[in-house]
Every structure is written in structure tokens, then in C-alpha cells.
């Protein structure tokens, strides 16, 4: 019995002299959502490409559902579905034709493909646009079509590379709902994102990728705890954050921070005490400076 | 209905090819500009060579019988070059990654483009011959000659389409790929397509007589209008087969290598 859906051990990949992945190890439990968080160029897409058999690693290994991504490539391909960074739909074909094509390529008969296509169009709210070419779709519709296409056959492991990049807030939220539903149906989902909120909302476990290495892993709560306790935010009369002071969260330290603030700030400064955000975590983990030296965080 | 991994077998090779061929033909039919080009270009060329240049080249009015094979190949070369753009468009889109991560032979996506190109080019060839007949082309060919000529044209189209498919894979950007189309458009002019090679300066004759298009043209001319074929038939078959084999190998290697680069 294999208990982990994805197992990655000491994976390395360089393009030319540049090490894109510099020794990555991670494990993803079956039926969970795992978020790989990192800025552009951190190596997120390269890792997804290796896990989805598109690129071979230089060293180390990765297994999906127990199958090696290099040696058992075909077995892996039967277990996974990749939704790439840019919606990978055929723009010349209609939404219906896109789904039907993938259904046929996945081995469904023409009759089965027709049934499945109708189901997916309904489920992803694309029935009205089914006969229109994908070129005319909005960003959100394109992403829904993209996901529908990747679900024509029930695959246990889904890779989503920046699923909501470029989407408006409403489309993003509706996509999050869909992703959470997919998890409830027992699928393992491995996603990459630049958005801290997305990782926070969706993921059971988060890995922060920075410079080809995993800077930290844990649940959103654990990661936030690593940064410390409450953050004291000082705001000016226009309610703009002028300074954020991290504290350990205990009374003495909060008093120290407030004393410091009281002596240094104009009299109309207001105070907000909040939990550290994922942004604080991100800044703390992906820069060389510890969070204490930051004058203000991104929040 | 639930289609799970355990109940659905991956698509067969034949089904995969059928799906990709259907896809590329849909693409061809929906790219109205390119389809119009494929139809109008042969008509324009046929009329231009017959009525504008024809009188000067051969005042007897018999030029149309000479030029038809050349125009067939000119159009086929031009038509197959658009495959480079189609393939490059696919290669620069995320859809190719999706195909590659499926348990299918994803190189069949190229086969789809090639078959669609063959269909477009045969349509163009039919139009060339139809217009030629209207403007005075009088072939002297039996059914066997026609079939032989058709077979050679199909082989020529396949060879050059696969060649352009390989170019589309390695260039990877549609605009770069389209630039290469023009190169082949000029090759037929340096052959016996429009004037006999004996009218060219001697240094150019060497080029014109030893490039692949001349024997193909001479063979089609021999089959359709009864000119002497000589050893052109064998040269035509050898050239086309060699280009086809080389292009297929190049495609296979280039398609595999692309995955490592991205």
C-alpha cells in the first residue's frame, strides 16, 4: 500500500550552469492539497514539469503513486493530469470540441465522450458557451474549460500550475471552490502559486520555494508561527501602514514595541495588532534579512 | 457516469491519429484566410503564367502545356510551408504539454497537421488542373499516367510537409516559422518549372538540373504530356524518399528534444 501520492527525493535540475532545482525533497499525502509557493523564477514550473514527465531531472528521483517519473513514465501519465500555467486549450475549437477531443484521446468511445462532455459542460457552467470558439472565452471561462478538459478521465493526481494567475477575484474564488470540491472527491492536488492567500485558503501543506530550494514547509498556521507572534502595525491619519513591528506575542515584548513606537511616531498614529500574514512569512523566508530588519511588510 | 483510470484504456494509436487529423482539418477549415490563399494563389499563378508571361516565353501559345507541372509544385511547396506555422503555433502553446503528459503517442499531433496539409494541397492541385484545362491545357495521359503523376505529387507534398513540420518544431515561434515558407517558394524558379534549363547560364544550369524539383517536374511533365522521361522518374522518387526519410527522423528527434528544453 502506497501512502504518499507524490514522493520527491533530492531532485536536482540545472539549465546550463544555473541550478534551477537544487536538491528538492518533499512528500504529498494522498487526497491532500499541496501548494508550492514562490516568486517567479523560483523553479516551480520546472518541478511541475519533472513531476508530470515533461522534463527529466539531472539527479534524484520522483514517484507518483509509486511510479518513477522517468522509468515508469507511461504509468505516471495514466495517473496524472496537468493543467499548465497558460490555459492549454485549443483556441480554434469550441469548448465542446475541446472537451470531446481530450475525452477521445483519453480512450473514451465517441458515445462515451459525448456523454462525458455534456456532464463537464454542465458542471463547469459552460453550457451556454459550449458552441463558441475558446478564443472568445474570458480568462475565467478558459480556466474552467482547462480544468474540465483535465477531468475527462478520473485521474488520482492533478497538477495545477498557477491556476488563478491573471484571474479576477470572482473567477479566482469560484476556481478555489472547484479545487476544494476536487479534493473532497479524493484527488491529490499539487498546485503552484505566487499568491499567499491562495496557499493559505486551499493548501493542507505549503512549501516555500526560493532559489531552487525549499525554504520551509508546513501548514499555513505552522508557517505563520515560525515568524513569531502578533505584529504591531502603526498607521497614519490616512490609515496607511507606516510601520510594522513583529513581536513575540507576549506582554513584555508588545509593551517594548509600543514604547518604542510612542517615542518615535507623531501623535495621531494609530495602532493595529494583528496575526502575522502569509506575506510576513513569505518575506521572512525568501529574503536574506530576518523579518525584524524590515521597516514595513508587504501587508 | 464515472470514467476512472481502471475502466478506461488509453486511446489506441489509430484513434489518436484520427482525433488529431480531425483537429487539424477543423483548423484548416476555420482558418479562412489561409484556405482562400490556398485556392486563389494557384488560380492567379495559372492565369499569370499563361496570359502574362506565356506569350513572351513561347509565342506559339503552347506554354500552358509546359507550365502546369511547375505550378502544381509551386503551389504544393507554398501550401506545405504553412504547416511550419501550424506546428510552431502548437509548440508555443501549453496544449502540447498537455498532450505530452497523456498516455498517447503525442507526436501524432504532427501527423494530424501533415494529413490536413496533404488534403489542402490536393485541393489546390485539383484547382490548378481544373483552371489549366479551362485555359487550354491539353494533357496526353492515360489513367495510369494520371495515377502515377498523382502518386508522385502526394509523395512530394508529404516530403516537404514533414520537412516544414520539423522546421516548425525547431523554430518554435509562428512568425519565425512563416519566414521559412518563402525560401521554398523560390526553389521552383531555379528549376525547369517555367523555362527549360538549357536557356539558363551554364553555372545556373548545374544548380537547376541537380536540385530535387527538376526531376519531379520532368517526371510529371512526361506522364501528363508525353515528353521523354529519361532517368528523371528514379531521381524524383529517390529525392522525395530521401527528403521524406530525413524529415521524419528530424521531426522525431526534434519533438523529443523540445521537452527537455522547456
Amino acid at each position: 500500500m502506497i501512502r504518499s501520492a507524490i514522493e520527491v527525493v533530492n531532485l536536482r535540475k540545472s539549465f546550463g550552469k544555473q541550478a534551477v532545482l537544487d536538491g528538492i525533497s518533499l512528500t504529498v499525502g494522498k487526497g491532500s492539497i499541496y501548494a508550492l509557493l514562490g516568486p517567479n523564477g523560483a523553479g516551480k514550473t520546472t518541478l511541475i514539469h519533472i513531476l508530470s514527465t515533461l522534463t527529466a531531472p539531472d539527479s534524484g528521483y520522483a514517484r507518483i503513486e509509486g511510479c518513477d517519473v522517468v522509468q515508469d513514465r507511461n504509468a505516471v501519465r495514466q495517473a496524472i493530469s496537468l493543467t499548465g500555467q497558460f490555459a492549454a486549450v485549443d483556441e480554434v475549437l469550441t469548448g465542446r470540441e475541446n472537451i470531446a477531443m481530450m475525452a477521445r484521446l483519453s480512450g473514451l468511445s465517441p458515445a462515451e465522450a459525448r456523454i462525458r462532455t455534456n456532464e463537464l459542460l454542465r458542471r463547469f457552467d459552460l453550457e451556454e458557451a459550449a458552441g463558441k470558439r475558446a478564443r472568445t472565452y474570458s480568462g475565467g471561462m478558459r480556466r474552467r474549460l482547462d480544468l474540465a478538459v483535465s477531468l475527462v478521465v478520473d485521474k488520482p493526481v492533478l497538477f495545477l500550475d498557477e491556476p488563478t494567475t491573471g484571474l479576477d477575484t470572482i473567477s479566482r474564488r469560484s476556481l478555489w471552490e472547484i479545487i476544494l470540491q476536487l479534493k473532497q472527491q479524493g484527488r491529490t492536488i499539487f498546485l503552484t502559486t505566487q499568491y499567499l492567500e491562495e496557499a493559505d485558503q486551499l493548501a493542507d501543506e505549503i512549501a516555500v520555494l526560493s532559489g531552487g530550494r525549499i525554504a520551509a514547509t508546513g501548514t499555513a498556521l505552522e508557517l505563520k508561527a515560525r515568524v513569531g507572534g502578533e505584529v504591531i502595525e502603526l498607521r497614519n491619519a490616512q490609515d496607511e501602514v507606516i510601520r510594522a513591528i513583529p513581536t513575540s506575542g507576549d506582554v513584555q515584548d508588545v509593551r517594548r514595541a509600543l514604547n518604542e513606537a510612542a517615542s518615535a511616531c507623531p501623535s495621531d498614529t494609530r495602532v493595529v495588532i494583528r496575526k502575522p500574514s502569509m506575506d510576513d512569512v513569505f518575506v521572512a523566508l525568501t529574503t536574506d534579512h530576518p523579518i525584524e530588519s524590515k521597516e514595513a511588510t508587504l501587508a | 457516469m464515472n470514467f476512472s483510470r481502471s475502466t478506461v484504456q488509453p486511446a489506441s494509436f489509430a484513434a489518436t491519429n484520427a482525433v488529431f487529423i480531425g483537429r487539424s482539418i477543423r483548423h484548416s477549415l476555420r482558418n479562412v484566410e489561409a484556405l482562400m490563399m490556398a485556392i486563389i494563389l494557384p488560380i492567379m499563378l495559372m492565369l499569370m503564367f499563361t496570359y502574362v508571361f506565356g506569350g513572351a516565353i513561347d509565342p506559339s501559345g503552347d506554354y500552358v502545356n509546359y507550365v502546369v507541372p511547375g505550378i502544381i509544385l509551386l503551389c504544393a511547396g507554398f501550401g506545405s510551408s504553412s504547416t511550419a506555422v501550424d506546428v510552431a503555433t502548437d509548440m508555443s502553446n501549453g496544449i502540447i504539454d498537455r498532450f505530452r503528459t497523456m498516455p498517447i503517442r503525442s507526436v501524432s499531433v504532427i501527423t494530424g497537421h501533415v494529413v490536413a496539409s496533404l488534403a489542402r494541397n490536393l485541393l489546390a492541385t485539383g484547382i490548378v488542373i481544373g483552371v489549366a484545362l479551362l485555359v487550354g491545357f491539353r494533357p496526353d495521359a492515360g489513367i495510369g499516367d494520371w495515377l502515377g503523376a498523382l502518386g508522385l505529387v502526394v509523395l512530394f507534398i508529404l516530403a516537404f510537409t514533414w520537412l516544414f513540420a520539423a522546421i516548425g518544431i525547431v523554430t518554435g515561434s509562428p512568425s519565425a516559422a512563416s519566414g521559412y515558407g518563402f525560401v521554398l517558394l523560390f526553389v521552383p524558379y531555379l528549376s525547369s518549372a517555367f523555362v527549360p534549363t538549357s536557356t539558363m547560364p551554364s553555372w545556373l544550369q548545374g544548380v537547376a538540373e541537380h536540385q530535387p524539383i527538376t526531376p519531379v517536374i520532368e517526371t510529371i511533365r512526361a506522364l501528363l504530356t508525353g515528353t521523354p522521361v529519361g532517368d528523371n522518374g528514379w531521381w524524383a522518387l529517390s529525392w522525395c524518399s530521401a527528403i521524406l526519410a530525413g524529415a521524419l527522423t528530424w521531426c522525431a528527434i526534434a519533438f523529443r528534444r523540445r521537452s527537455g528544453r522547456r
Side-chain angles (χ1 to χ4, degrees):
Chain A
M1 180 70 199
I2 315 143
R3 304 187 61 195
S4 55
I6 303 174
E7 191 192 351
V8 175
V9 176
N10 207 15
L11 213 58
R12 286 173 201 278
K13 178 77 185 177
S14 305
F15 291 113
K17 278 191 182 142
Q18 203 204 340
V20 178
L21 297 178
D22 195 9
I24 301 282
S25 299
L26 56 86
T27 307
V28 180
K30 277 194 177 181
S32 66
I33 299 184
Y34 193 95
L36 194 62
L37 183 64
N40 273 331
K44 302 191 297 288
T45 297
T46 304
L47 181 54
I48 283 226
H49 279 184
I50 291 174
L51 296 182
S52 60
T53 76
L54 286 173
T55 306
D58 295 339
S59 66
Y61 67 88
R63 294 199 184 115
I64 310 288
E65 300 264 306
C67 304
D68 188 276
V69 294
V70 178
Q71 264 117 53
D72 309 325
R73 200 177 303 156
N74 273 321
V76 171
R77 286 176 181 171
Q78 293 195 43
I80 63 164
S81 167
L82 167 72
T83 301
Q85 189 163 354
F86 306 100
V89 297
D90 189 325
E91 299 197 327
V92 178
L93 301 184
T94 66
R96 180 185 298 281
E97 287 167 344
N98 263 291
I99 302 176
M101 173 173 75
M102 289 301 174
R104 294 280 290 125
L105 288 177
S106 302
L108 270 55
S109 73
E112 287 169 336
R114 212 170 305 126
I115 295 169
R116 187 66 177 148
T117 302
N118 286 329
E119 270 176 19
L120 287 166
L121 286 170
R122 200 174 320 121
R123 175 155 158 217
F124 286 87
D125 197 21
L126 290 166
E127 280 173 307
E128 247 175 76
K132 293 196 183 115
R133 293 191 201 179
R135 180 174 292 153
T136 65
Y137 283 21
S138 69
M141 285 161 75
R142 225 175 249 243
R143 266 297 173 192
R144 292 209 302 275
L145 177 61
D146 211 12
L147 266 183
V149 156
S150 64
L151 295 174
V152 284
V153 175
D154 198 359
K155 304 285 185 105
V157 180
L158 300 184
F159 291 102
L160 308 176
D161 195 2
E162 301 201 6
T164 66
T165 297
L167 295 191
D168 60 59
T169 312
I170 295 172
S171 307
R172 178 169 298 154
R173 284 186 188 282
S174 91
L175 215 65
W176 285 352
E177 253 168 60
I178 292 171
I179 293 171
L180 288 170
Q181 278 169 23
L182 293 174
K183 179 199 162 183
Q184 274 164 18
Q185 290 160 3
R187 290 186 184 83
T188 308
I189 295 163
F190 186 99
L191 62 87
T192 69
T193 182
Q194 300 184 42
Y195 302 114
L196 310 150
E197 191 195 356
E198 187 158 285
D200 202 358
Q201 292 273 330
L202 296 179
D204 299 304
E205 190 164 3
I206 299 169
V208 179
L209 191 65
S210 173
R213 292 166 172 277
I214 290 182
T217 56
T219 63
L221 269 179
E222 285 165 1
L223 288 177
K224 286 176 191 174
R226 278 184 58 156
V227 187
E230 266 54 19
V231 175
I232 292 178
E233 255 178 28
L234 305 175
R235 292 169 181 258
N236 63 14
Q238 285 78 46
D239 206 32
E240 291 160 350
V241 178
I242 53 175
R243 199 165 163 203
I245 310 169
T247 71
S248 67
D250 66 58
V251 179
Q252 309 307 329
D253 201 41
V254 172
R255 167 180 283 178
R256 174 197 57 79
L258 281 174
N259 284 342
E260 191 188 316
S263 59
C265 294
S267 58
D268 61 350
T269 304
R270 313 203 62 78
V271 171
V272 176
I273 298 182
R274 64 164 173 81
K275 294 270 181 205
S277 67
M278 281 302 294
D279 295 277
D280 299 322
V281 176
F282 198 59
V283 169
L285 291 171
T286 59
T287 57
D288 296 333
H289 319 286
I291 190 157
E292 284 76 14
S293 71
K294 288 275 150 193
E295 277 302 292
T297 64
L298 299 170
Chain B
M1 207 184 271
N2 186 34
F3 298 99
S4 76
R5 178 170 53 141
S6 47
T7 56
V8 179
Q9 289 299 307
S12 68
F13 184 54
T16 304
N17 276 316
V19 170
F20 281 128
I21 290 168
R23 167 178 184 260
S24 293
I25 287 177
R26 278 204 172 101
H27 275 235
S28 293
L29 291 174
R30 288 176 193 179
N31 190 346
V32 180
E33 287 102 349
L35 199 61
M36 291 300 284
M37 254 324 250
I39 293 169
I40 291 170
L41 183 81
I43 298 174
M44 297 293 286
L45 283 171
M46 197 68 233
L47 297 178
M48 191 172 74
F49 275 98
T50 308
Y51 294 118
V52 181
F53 303 138
I57 298 169
D58 180 0
S60 72
D62 206 30
Y63 185 60
V64 64
N65 283 321
Y66 183 83
V67 83
V68 167
I71 294 182
I72 290 175
L73 290 208
L74 188 63
C75 291
F78 181 76
S80 54
S81 73
S82 68
T83 306
V85 181
D86 296 337
V87 170
T89 306
D90 268 356
M91 296 304 286
S92 57
N93 185 310
I95 200 161
I96 201 79
D97 289 342
R98 191 192 283 289
F99 292 147
R100 262 218 197 87
T101 56
M102 296 174 84
I104 54 171
R105 279 178 49 112
S106 46
V107 74
S108 291
V109 70
I110 310 289
T111 312
H113 286 304
V114 171
V115 173
S117 161
L118 181 63
R120 284 196 309 268
N121 281 306
L122 287 178
L123 174 72
T125 305
I127 290 166
V128 170
I129 293 170
V131 175
L133 290 170
L134 287 176
V135 299
F137 177 48
R138 292 296 169 261
D140 172 27
I143 188 102
D145 298 329
W146 277 108
L147 289 177
L150 179 68
L152 185 56
V153 169
V154 167
L155 186 63
F156 177 86
I157 294 170
L158 285 178
F160 279 87
T161 303
W162 276 108
L163 186 63
F164 276 110
I167 289 170
I169 297 171
V170 294
T171 55
S173 106
S175 52
S178 78
Y180 290 92
F182 289 98
V183 177
L184 203 78
L185 201 57
F186 287 101
V187 179
Y189 291 100
L190 302 177
S191 74
S192 65
F194 303 108
V195 292
T197 53
S198 59
T199 62
M200 298 176 184
S202 58
W203 60 272
L204 196 55
Q205 279 183 33
V207 177
E209 282 167 11
H210 295 98
Q211 64 122 314
I213 297 206
T214 296
V216 177
I217 284 176
E218 288 304 324
T219 306
I220 294 173
R221 192 171 279 146
L223 288 167
L224 295 187
T225 62
T227 53
V229 68
D231 56 4
N232 282 312
W234 294 114
W235 276 112
L237 284 177
S238 309
W239 268 116
C240 289
S241 308
I243 293 170
L244 182 60
L248 281 169
T249 313
W250 189 16
C251 262
I253 294 169
F255 192 82
R256 210 173 310 135
R257 199 174 284 167
R258 276 287 291 204
S259 63
R261 254 202 340 226
R262 284 154 58 95

